[in-house]
Amino acid sequence: MNNLFGDSMTEVEKKIEELRANLKYHSNKYYNDDAPEIEDYEYDMMMRQLKELEEKYPEYDAVDSPTKKVGGKADNSFESVVHNVRMGSLQDAFSEDEIRDFDKRVADMVNERHYVVEPKIDGLSVSLEYRNGVFVRGSTRGDGDVGEDVSGNLRVIRNVPLKLNEPVPFIEVRGEVYMPKKSFDRVVDRQLINDEKPFKNPRNAAAGSLRQKDSSVTAGRGLDIFIFNIQQIEGKTITSHKQSLDYLKKLGFNTVPFYKRVDDIESALEEIERIGEARGTLEFDIDGAVIKVDEFSNREILGSTAKYPRWAVAFKYPPEEKQTKLIDIEIAVGRTGVLTPTAVLESVHLAGTTVSRATLHNQDFINEKGIAVGDIVTVRKAGDIIPEVLCVNKHNSDGVYTFPTRCPSCNEKVIRENGEAAVRCINPECPAQLLRNLIHFCSRDAMDIEGLGPAIIETFVDKGLIKNTYDIYNLDYGKIATLDGFKETSANNIKKSVEKSKANDLSKLIFALGIRHIGAKAGKLLSDHFKTIDKIMSASVEEILEIDGYGQIMAESVVSYFKSCSARELIEKLRASGVNMNSISEVKDERFSGMTFVLTGTLPTLKRSEASEIIESFGGKTSSSVSKKTTYVLAGEEAGSKLDKANALGIEIIDEETFMGMIK
């Protein structure tokens, strides 16, 4: 390796520490937060550079270097599982020459050798354990030695067999939980509707879904699994990897697809190429192909290093890049009001599919790259999934593209808030945002209209029964009763819920409007302070800042929202429909005046929102974080770290029974 840092060893040491810090940060974002910030290829290249530096300058080696560790760690929200057989990672290779070097190392230690080639599934590695053919436990890889018990969530994955076709005394297998591309698209669509941050890719979606505390959430995410290894087995002798995969299939496992045994490394390379050509057509993501020595006896001879087995290697497909012409830039309005630019490209074949569109992220990204219509650009698939523009190769236009100043959907002026990259339409009646706004408006913490869930709202929008928010209060219940799946009774139930919502406190309406930065608690503070919607609409930023709990951004967001003609029109139409516009909350007495409660965990009978309402009705406040100003911590089951902080600060912790005694 060339010394890029001159002769100064302190510069080398500085570079090594910089690489280690970056790798540890990005490893944590990838494995533990399920929120990667860089592409796998960039991470792999940093890891390779660090490894080369450590080999050249062994005096700077360290036992905790990322080159010696598996990326993840056990999550303390689940029970820990110690792996009897280590769940390690594989040495990566990025070229055919590196694969041939692997073959030479194997040939130096064993005579006759055969390999099994299989796709490297891009998901979350797990262990499944069975006794007498019955599933007993499942766990994540974690750091390779200790993972977390996710048995309940693994049980609801469709291809995890709960009982095997044979009563094997004991078997532990290793597999990869993944999210099929269709499931990923469906989950992301739902996240956007609910104004949630969408998963970046299927791998992180799978990891986030498997670590849910509620198994019903996992069940609804459409996860699947491929099994690719026997970790340990009793009552059966198996001598090769190919034999083990065939046996796993016989037991009823969904084994890794199109695995193949070959007799030499050149045949293995041909199989890697074949898998690579097919990856764009698969319904699941792969990030490479794996070559494994087939015979277990040869594996024992080859052994392992501290981190990798010497009998296997993972070939990582490089991100494919192509040049093409940017024909146009289209602006779409998302369900949260964000304007998203998309590059329209001259079609190009990339990573197994034809690409004609690519994300441009936002105006800052366009400015940074200097992108304009007519440019020749380089594109690639980020994570082999989402096409993106990497750079401009040739400028064919006069200037950089600039976002429109008005929403292409409703023609209202768009805004860009301080500190945000996104340009946003805040018109509550913008057609592009309609579905998301309606779902939020009817949700439990907002107007709480029972019977108008996401699926029914979508149906009503599709049928033209709802074209804007105030149409909720002018529904044609006769037409509803004639729809498939609806009857007069269900239509009447919806009508009762709609009518009931008109009497809600003003605070619920404010939250239902979906004002940026204004949650349910902030809506309550606004309602309690000003008492009427008219006073809120006429309030200045300075007047709103008088509310304890409001900051500059929140106050400006409220004023900006009600300056909009469409927002004021919506309020007037809701008022005409009979929706309450006044605060009706009452303080029963001031027994909790000056007190701040923090709610944590699951209470036996009360919801947190109900407990908060009770506290506020007695003059108290609630907070989301424990501090010296906290009076009580009201704790239920699985209370978590807030209890530790409360104990450290000497704050009194109470349960629901004590709390109910305080309000008698």
Side-chain angles (χ1 to χ4, degrees):
M1 161 181 177
N2 294 327
N3 189 347
L4 302 176
F5 317 107
D7 296 326
S8 170
M9 297 305 290
T10 55
E11 288 186 30
V12 172
E13 186 176 13
K14 184 178 178 181
K15 183 62 180 178
I16 287 174
E17 289 305 314
E18 179 187 315
L19 285 167
R20 286 174 180 162
N22 284 336
L23 285 164
K24 287 177 181 177
Y25 172 81
H26 289 296
S27 177
N28 182 65
K29 297 299 291 183
Y30 183 91
Y31 287 102
N32 302 318
D33 293 345
D34 305 319
E37 295 178 356
I38 62 174
E39 295 300 319
D40 289 355
Y41 188 75
E42 295 174 64
Y43 182 88
D44 292 338
M45 292 301 101
M46 276 199 291
M47 183 69 80
R48 169 157 291 198
Q49 187 179 7
L50 176 59
K51 187 175 180 182
E52 290 175 349
L53 283 171
E54 288 178 344
E55 289 174 352
K56 185 169 184 179
Y57 303 102
E59 61 268 34
Y60 296 125
D61 199 8
V63 293
D64 65 341
S65 173
T67 59
K68 298 176 176 62
K69 293 175 71 65
V70 174
K73 65 181 179 182
D75 186 328
N76 59 16
S77 63
F78 295 92
E79 277 191 38
S80 294
V81 175
V82 177
H83 300 305
N84 292 328
V85 178
R86 190 167 193 269
M87 296 178 69
S89 55
L90 298 177
Q91 177 73 55
D92 290 332
F94 297 91
S95 68
E96 291 188 0
D97 287 343
E98 290 178 30
I99 296 295
R100 293 189 180 95
D101 288 342
F102 161 75
D103 179 55
K104 289 174 186 174
R105 292 193 297 272
V106 173
D108 288 341
M109 298 183 71
V110 299
N111 295 322
E112 187 178 355
R113 61 199 182 281
H114 303 91
Y115 297 111
V116 173
V117 184
E118 59 196 49
K120 187 174 183 295
I121 311 300
D122 193 14
L124 186 72
S125 198
V126 298
S127 157
L128 307 178
E129 299 172 54
Y130 294 79
R131 290 197 179 277
N132 299 317
V134 177
F135 177 69
V136 293
R137 186 170 68 171
S139 55
T140 63
R141 179 174 71 170
D143 65 0
D145 296 310
V146 180
E148 59 256 23
D149 189 327
V150 289
S151 304
N153 291 346
L154 285 166
R155 287 178 184 276
V156 300
I157 295 176
R158 61 176 181 173
N159 274 320
V160 171
L162 302 182
K163 187 175 182 180
L164 303 180
N165 294 333
E166 293 181 11
V168 187
F170 177 77
I171 186 172
E172 179 187 2
V173 300
R174 181 172 173 178
E176 200 83 0
V177 171
Y178 69 95
M179 183 173 284
K181 293 176 182 177
K182 287 182 180 178
S183 298
F184 176 71
D185 292 340
R186 187 173 64 249
V187 169
V188 168
D189 283 346
R190 182 58 59 199
Q191 287 176 317
L192 291 172
I193 287 173
N194 293 331
D195 202 14
E196 300 169 354
K197 184 178 179 181
F199 289 119
K200 187 173 182 181
N201 55 48
R203 188 268 166 201
N204 297 102
S209 301
L210 191 62
R211 289 178 172 137
Q212 293 289 324
K213 297 295 283 185
D214 184 351
S215 294
S216 65
V217 176
T218 305
R221 293 282 176 83
L223 298 179
D224 213 328
I225 190 171
F226 285 125
I227 304 299
F228 60 84
N229 203 55
I230 293 179
Q231 298 293 91
Q232 49 183 334
I233 188 170
E234 296 174 7
K236 178 82 173 179
T237 300
I238 295 176
T239 60
S240 74
H241 185 57
K242 171 68 162 55
Q243 182 190 5
S244 73
L245 291 173
D246 293 342
Y247 182 60
L248 287 169
K249 191 179 293 185
K250 182 182 177 183
L251 288 176
F253 288 108
N254 189 36
T255 55
V256 65
F258 40 87
Y259 58 87
K260 185 176 181 180
R261 185 178 187 270
V262 296
D263 297 326
D264 55 70
I265 203 65
E266 294 305 318
S267 299
L269 286 168
E270 290 175 8
E271 189 62 16
I272 287 174
E273 184 177 359
R274 187 185 73 81
I275 293 172
E277 289 174 351
R279 63 179 170 151
T281 66
L282 302 175
E283 281 303 309
F284 50 87
D285 287 332
I286 64 173
D287 58 354
V290 181
I291 302 175
K292 299 176 181 177
V293 171
D294 188 33
E295 299 86 354
F296 290 165
S297 58
N298 284 341
R299 290 186 182 186
E300 289 184 18
I301 295 170
L302 291 162
S304 301
T305 66
K307 188 175 180 182
Y308 305 115
R310 293 190 180 93
W311 43 263
V313 66
F315 179 83
K316 302 294 283 288
Y317 296 112
E320 188 179 2
E321 300 175 3
K322 293 281 183 71
Q323 288 189 19
T324 187
K325 186 176 182 179
L326 196 158
I327 302 170
D328 194 10
I329 294 177
E330 294 180 354
I331 299 292
V333 185
R335 290 177 177 134
T336 61
V338 174
L339 273 61
T340 303
T342 299
V344 181
L345 308 166
E346 284 188 353
S347 297
V348 60
H349 196 70
L350 192 64
T353 60
T354 299
V355 171
S356 59
R357 301 171 71 82
T359 179
L360 292 174
H361 302 291
N362 50 51
Q363 183 70 65
D364 288 348
F365 179 86
I366 291 172
N367 293 344
E368 179 189 338
K369 305 290 184 183
I371 296 170
V373 174
D375 289 352
I376 302 300
V377 297
T378 296
V379 293
R380 77 170 179 191
K381 281 191 176 181
D384 289 333
I385 304 163
I386 305 169
E388 66 176 359
V389 173
L390 283 181
C391 62
V392 175
N393 302 99
K394 183 180 179 182
H395 291 285
N396 288 331
S397 57
D398 296 330
V400 174
Y401 176 84
T402 303
F403 266 47
T405 57
R406 290 190 174 272
C407 173
S409 176
C410 66
N411 203 39
E412 285 277 336
K413 282 187 177 181
V414 295
I415 65 166
R416 179 172 177 175
E417 295 176 346
N418 291 334
E420 282 203 358
V423 174
R424 187 182 300 273
C425 171
I426 60 169
N427 175 13
E429 297 304 306
C430 176
Q433 303 172 64
L434 177 63
L435 185 59
R436 173 257 169 185
N437 290 337
L438 290 170
I439 291 170
H440 172 75
F441 189 89
C442 298
S443 63
R444 176 168 295 180
D445 289 336
M447 294 303 280
D448 192 18
I449 304 178
E450 191 175 345
L452 285 185
I456 291 177
I457 291 172
E458 285 189 62
T459 298
F460 287 0
V461 170
D462 289 342
K463 299 295 183 182
L465 291 169
I466 299 179
K467 296 178 182 178
N468 45 58
T469 303
Y470 51 81
D471 277 348
I472 291 170
Y473 294 97
N474 298 282
L475 285 169
D476 187 333
Y477 297 102
K479 283 187 179 179
I480 291 174
T482 65
L483 297 177
D484 289 341
F486 290 86
K487 293 181 179 179
E488 187 175 343
T489 301
S490 55
N492 284 334
N493 287 337
I494 292 173
K495 183 178 181 179
K496 289 177 184 177
S497 296
V498 169
E499 290 300 314
K500 181 182 176 184
S501 74
K502 292 180 180 179
N504 283 339
D505 185 67
L506 173 60
S507 60
K508 294 183 79 67
L509 173 61
I510 293 169
F511 177 58
L513 294 173
I515 305 169
R516 288 279 292 162
H517 309 298
I518 306 303
K521 185 177 178 181
K524 184 77 165 60
L525 291 173
L526 203 63
S527 171
D528 289 348
H529 184 82
F530 289 104
K531 303 299 183 182
T532 72
I533 193 70
D534 294 313
K535 288 181 180 179
I536 293 172
M537 288 196 294
S538 62
S540 65
V541 170
E542 291 72 25
E543 288 172 326
I544 295 174
L545 283 172
E546 293 176 5
I547 302 173
D548 184 16
Y550 263 74
Q552 188 74 26
I553 292 175
M554 295 168 68
E556 288 177 353
S557 184
V558 171
V559 171
S560 176
Y561 177 85
F562 285 113
K563 274 185 179 177
S564 165
C565 294
S566 55
R568 289 176 172 269
E569 182 182 356
L570 171 62
I571 293 299
E572 293 312 313
K573 289 190 175 181
L574 290 174
R575 194 199 306 265
S577 297
V579 175
N580 174 55
M581 298 287 160
N582 301 310
S583 172
I584 56 176
S585 61
E586 295 180 4
V587 176
K588 296 176 181 177
D589 62 49
E590 298 286 345
R591 71 182 69 183
F592 291 156
S593 178
M595 297 183 185
T596 300
F597 289 72
V598 171
L599 281 60
T600 181
T602 304
L603 299 173
T605 63
L606 290 174
K607 297 173 185 174
R608 286 197 204 178
S609 58
E610 292 171 337
S612 294
E613 287 179 10
I614 292 170
I615 291 165
E616 289 164 3
S617 72
F618 287 105
K621 296 180 180 179
T622 59
S623 175
S624 59
S625 58
V626 178
S627 69
K628 291 179 181 179
K629 295 181 180 179
T630 304
T631 313
Y632 295 106
V633 171
L634 174 54
E637 292 183 8
E638 301 177 0
S641 60
K642 290 179 183 178
L643 286 189
D644 297 332
K645 190 169 183 181
N647 285 320
L649 294 173
I651 293 163
E652 186 174 350
I653 298 168
I654 59 174
D655 58 14
E656 185 183 300
E657 184 179 356
T658 303
F659 175 69
M660 296 305 288
M662 294 167 69
I663 62 173
K664 282 184 178 177

